[in-house]
């Protein structure tokens, strides 16, 4: 059963207190204070306080018409606002996953859309070449990208519009979406004496236990172990939160399950482009003290002769010391996610370039050439 | 450079003799006889004689209008025949990959298409449930499937039609495609004393050497090592032939490359269905002495709520003795090949169900749910 309402939970003997905010966690008393002296006793506690949108901190950020997107309610509020105001223009602050996905949503609704971003290119992490391809995709679909600048303040107009002041110039718009990432919600945990890790999120072991063994944490409020960099990271993604929650629950329920950590797989769709990445980029590998090397190839998503075959660029990053894969990034019309998921699975098992170069992938012209971009990239990198 | 013509080869100093058939290989003299006493000397020889279509052996099989499909020339001949005869009906004998792909081709050209197959269901290897789904896909697209029967003879009519006599009844048609597999072309190799393996194809080591070290073999004429069953198999597929050819060439050229073998990945598209498989089926695992267990789940190709999400069924087969994946099969509207390629990569590294259950796959709603069918199937099988 998937519980969605308090009634669903009640059927499983779970009491749900809505509109109730925890005021403090008292691990030593095994209590959570919920209001004016009222408290709940526990044997085990799961801290799943999530993350909150990061804000710019500039003046006017609380104006009506300025939104963050964290959940379905936010999405519905944005949509209602667009309808009610007959909004025709949107400014998106930031150029990460959520921001780029929202560009597509706004353009689909017919809004003039402008991105304001502090760096020169969107998704710069993936490297200049891939970032430029993403930029072209945005521009092809009518998104204006203002890179290398940042927001200095928001100002209302008498007509209910918003003026966005950036370092370079000012923009008039009907609504603003702020999508510059999230920060883990750790105030309660921190005040309760739970240890935070180097990322600022709650530190947990592979059983999802905090430093207090009967207090667990799961989801966007806590860290997870990155299997390739061997460092704790804050990776606030829905699939990871689901896994961590399941591990925490299973262990509290008496099982003995370990969360093996992540390899850092992400993907998104922006207009007609698939973008996906796993493991480390070459820069990230270098930052953690590895000696990486990379190769980027331009392949095709299907056999060259097959209708609908599209360009697919794949970059592999490998460790010069042992030939093992460290990461991969792919951008293409289609097939990027498929390749990255195969490579993520390989990363998990410590696959080498030599193995990738002759990997037995399923081949048929509607799905790849006889030499897949994975093979070609691995062979290129071995040269 | 990809050499396509004798002139292309000549530029690389390679002499191409067209319309010349090798009459005998003489390893002890390092010679290939090509015609009336003429012969070519070699230091190294590559046997790449390929495979030929398996035939039914019944009377009338050499009638005009009865085709096999092995190469592009065959395809063009079939297409010309359809055009010239204004063919409106096709009978396909067999129900493997090529036969099913040809059903789609014939239906696309508007031909009434009937499959005659000795077993009750197409692609029975994948299990009754998946085979039934493939059957429904054929029938939905107007293909008539006559299972559990076989062809007993072909007979011409005065009007140039063909009568196909099956065990049950006779069919009148304009053309017949025989697609019941291929047999390795090993006559020359066998007469030269090269060792054949248990499959009847040429036995090779991981350097693609035959039992005569300076004679190599590659492609559909030779065996390859199956990394999961640990047995030599005959897997006449284009991607494998490419890899073997490259390994043979590299070794002759002075490198020291090993072909690591295959895990048995295949895929095909039949109308709107993707079908893919890697490793062993449960039956195959049992046949090689393993103790397999399997679970089949019905998932979705994308997040449930995402437009265009389609049913995707995934079966995992694992070894009860060590929890390792042994194989996987998937059938769905889309996403089957993508999952099988991730699983094939995992198989290559000996991945366990435990690792699959929490595998860090790239997640975004256009590409999967937060729990991918791979996770769900692995968790199901661990229960």
């Amino acid at each position: 059963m998937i519980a969605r309402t308090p009634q669903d939970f009640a059927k499983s003997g779970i009491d749900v207190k809505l509109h109730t905010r925890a005021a403090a966690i008292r691990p030593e008393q095994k209590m959570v204070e919920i209001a004016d002296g009222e408290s709940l006793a526990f044997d085990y506690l799961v801290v799943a306080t999530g993350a909150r949108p990061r804000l710019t901190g500039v003046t006017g950020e609380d104006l009506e018409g300025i939104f963050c997107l964290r959940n379905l309610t936010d999405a519905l509020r944005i949509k209602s606002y667009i309808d009610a105001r007959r909004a025709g223009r949107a400014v998106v602050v930031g150029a990460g996953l959520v921001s780029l996905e929202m560009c597509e949503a706004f353009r689909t609704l017919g809004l003039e859309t402008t991105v304001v971003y502090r760096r020169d290119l969107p998704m710069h992490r993936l490297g200049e070449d891939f970032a430029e391809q993403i930029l072209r995709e945005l521009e092809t679909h009518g998104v204006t990208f203002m890179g290398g600048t940042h927001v200095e303040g928001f100002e209302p107009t008498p007509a209910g519009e918003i003026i966005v002041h950036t370092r370079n110039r000012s923009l008039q718009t009907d609504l603003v979406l702020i999508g510059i990432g999230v920060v883990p919600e750790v105030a309660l945990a921190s005040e309760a004496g739970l240890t935070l890790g180097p990322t600022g999120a709650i530190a947990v072991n592979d059983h999802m236990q905090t430093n207090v063994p009967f207090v667990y944490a799961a989801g966007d409020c806590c860290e997870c172990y990155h299997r390739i960099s061997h460092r704790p990271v804050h990776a606030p993604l829905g699939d990871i939160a689901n896994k961590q929650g399941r591990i925490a629950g299973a262990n509290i329920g008496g099982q003995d399950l370990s969360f093996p950590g992540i390899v850092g797989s992400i993907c998104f769709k922006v207009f007609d482009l698939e973008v996906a990445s796993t493991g480390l980029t070459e820069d990230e590998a270098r930052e953690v003290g590895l000696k990486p090397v990379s190769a980027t190839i331009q392949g095709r998503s299907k056999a060259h002769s097959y209708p609908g075959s599209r360009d697919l660029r794949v970059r592999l990053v490998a460790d010069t010391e042992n030939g093992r894969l460290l990461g991969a990034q792919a951008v293409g019309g289609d097939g990027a996610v498929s390749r990255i998921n195969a490579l993520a699975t390989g990363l998990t098992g410590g696959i080498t370039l030599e193995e990738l170069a002759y990997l037995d992938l399923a081949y048929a012209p509607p799905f790849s050439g006889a030499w897949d971009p994975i093979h070609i990239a691995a062979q290129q990198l071995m040269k």
Side-chain angles (χ1 to χ4, degrees), chain A:
Chain A
M1 187 191 84
I2 298 171
R4 295 188 190 280
T5 67
Q7 290 73 28
D8 289 342
F9 281 101
K11 281 183 204 151
S12 306
I14 298 169
D15 186 20
V16 177
K17 293 201 183 294
L18 292 177
H19 310 293
T20 306
R21 198 172 271 280
I25 300 169
R26 307 271 178 232
E28 61 288 354
Q29 289 124 337
K30 293 197 169 189
M31 291 275 197
V32 175
E33 287 180 20
I34 52 170
D36 317 316
E38 203 188 335
S39 63
L40 296 170
F42 62 80
D43 294 319
Y44 295 100
L45 178 70
V46 179
V47 180
T49 43
R52 62 175 191 277
R54 187 188 300 277
L55 294 174
T56 61
V58 301
T59 55
E61 197 164 24
D62 55 351
L63 283 177
E64 205 188 12
I66 301 186
F67 297 92
C68 293
L69 178 67
R70 185 67 193 139
N71 52 38
L72 192 58
T73 310
D74 290 336
L76 295 172
R77 281 174 54 227
I78 295 169
K79 200 147 188 297
S80 301
Y81 192 85
I82 291 170
D83 292 343
R85 296 295 182 105
R86 301 183 201 284
R89 297 163 300 178
V91 167
V92 175
V93 180
L97 271 71
V98 168
S99 291
L100 297 185
E101 288 172 342
M102 284 303 287
C103 284
E104 183 177 342
F106 287 143
R107 290 298 297 147
T108 303
L109 294 173
L111 276 70
E112 278 178 37
T113 305
T114 304
V115 176
V116 175
Y117 188 46
R118 68 193 161 97
R119 298 198 184 241
D120 288 337
L121 289 168
M123 294 301 292
H124 61 91
R125 171 182 173 252
L126 300 181
E128 200 171 307
D129 48 352
F130 287 15
E132 275 171 359
Q133 191 172 346
I134 295 166
L135 174 58
R136 281 197 301 277
E137 187 71 11
L138 291 173
E139 290 178 341
T140 300
H141 290 85
V143 176
T144 304
F145 184 82
M146 287 175 52
T149 186
H150 58 263
V151 173
E152 295 189 327
F154 300 101
E155 195 187 316
T157 72
E161 297 160 311
I162 299 161
I163 300 172
V164 182
H165 295 294
T166 74
R167 209 187 47 197
N168 313 23
R169 63 193 187 90
S170 298
L171 300 163
Q172 200 155 314
T173 188
D174 298 310
L175 85 108
V176 173
L177 179 91
I178 297 176
I180 54 173
V182 297
V183 285
E185 190 67 86
V186 297
L188 277 178
S190 173
E191 287 159 17
L194 301 181
T195 303
L196 305 185
T199 71
I202 303 170
V204 287
N205 66 13
D206 66 355
H207 278 52
M208 305 313 299
Q209 291 167 300
T210 67
N211 60 309
V212 179
F214 52 85
V215 178
Y216 290 73
D220 293 359
C221 63
C222 73
E223 295 185 332
C224 53
Y225 173 71
H226 194 295
R227 296 172 68 154
I228 310 303
S229 70
H230 303 292
R231 296 191 177 182
V233 292
H234 183 229
L237 296 168
D239 56 329
I240 299 174
N242 263 280
K243 287 170 191 149
Q244 292 180 325
R246 197 182 180 100
I247 297 279
N251 285 324
I252 292 171
Q255 292 184 55
D256 175 20
L257 286 191
S258 293
F259 182 56
I262 64 168
V263 292
S265 306
I266 60 152
C267 64
F268 64 97
K269 174 182 168 298
V270 55
F271 298 102
D272 298 325
L273 208 59
E274 276 188 24
V275 185
S277 169
T278 190
L280 306 176
T281 64
E282 193 176 354
D283 285 346
E284 289 165 350
R286 205 165 282 121
E287 278 159 25
V288 297
L290 295 164
K291 295 196 170 58
V293 62
S294 78
T296 306
I297 64 103
Q298 168 81 62
R300 302 286 293 179
S301 63
K302 309 175 195 288
H304 214 88
S305 57
Y306 199 82
S309 173
R310 301 189 51 191
D311 283 342
L312 174 61
R313 287 201 291 172
V314 174
R315 175 152 47 234
L316 298 184
V317 181
D319 191 329
T320 48
E321 308 223 316
N322 54 26
R324 285 190 198 280
L325 185 68
L326 292 171
Q329 297 89 45
V331 179
D334 68 350
V337 175
S338 165
R339 270 62 177 203
I340 288 300
N341 277 338
L343 292 163
T345 311
L347 261 185
T348 303
I351 204 163
T352 62
L353 288 180
E354 208 167 302
E355 286 173 309
L356 284 174
Y358 291 91
L359 189 62
D360 186 18
L361 298 167
Y363 158 63
F367 308 107
S368 74
W371 293 103
D372 190 84
I374 290 176
H375 300 127
I376 299 168
Q379 289 172 6
Q380 182 65 34
L381 189 45
M382 284 169 73
K383 279 182 186 168

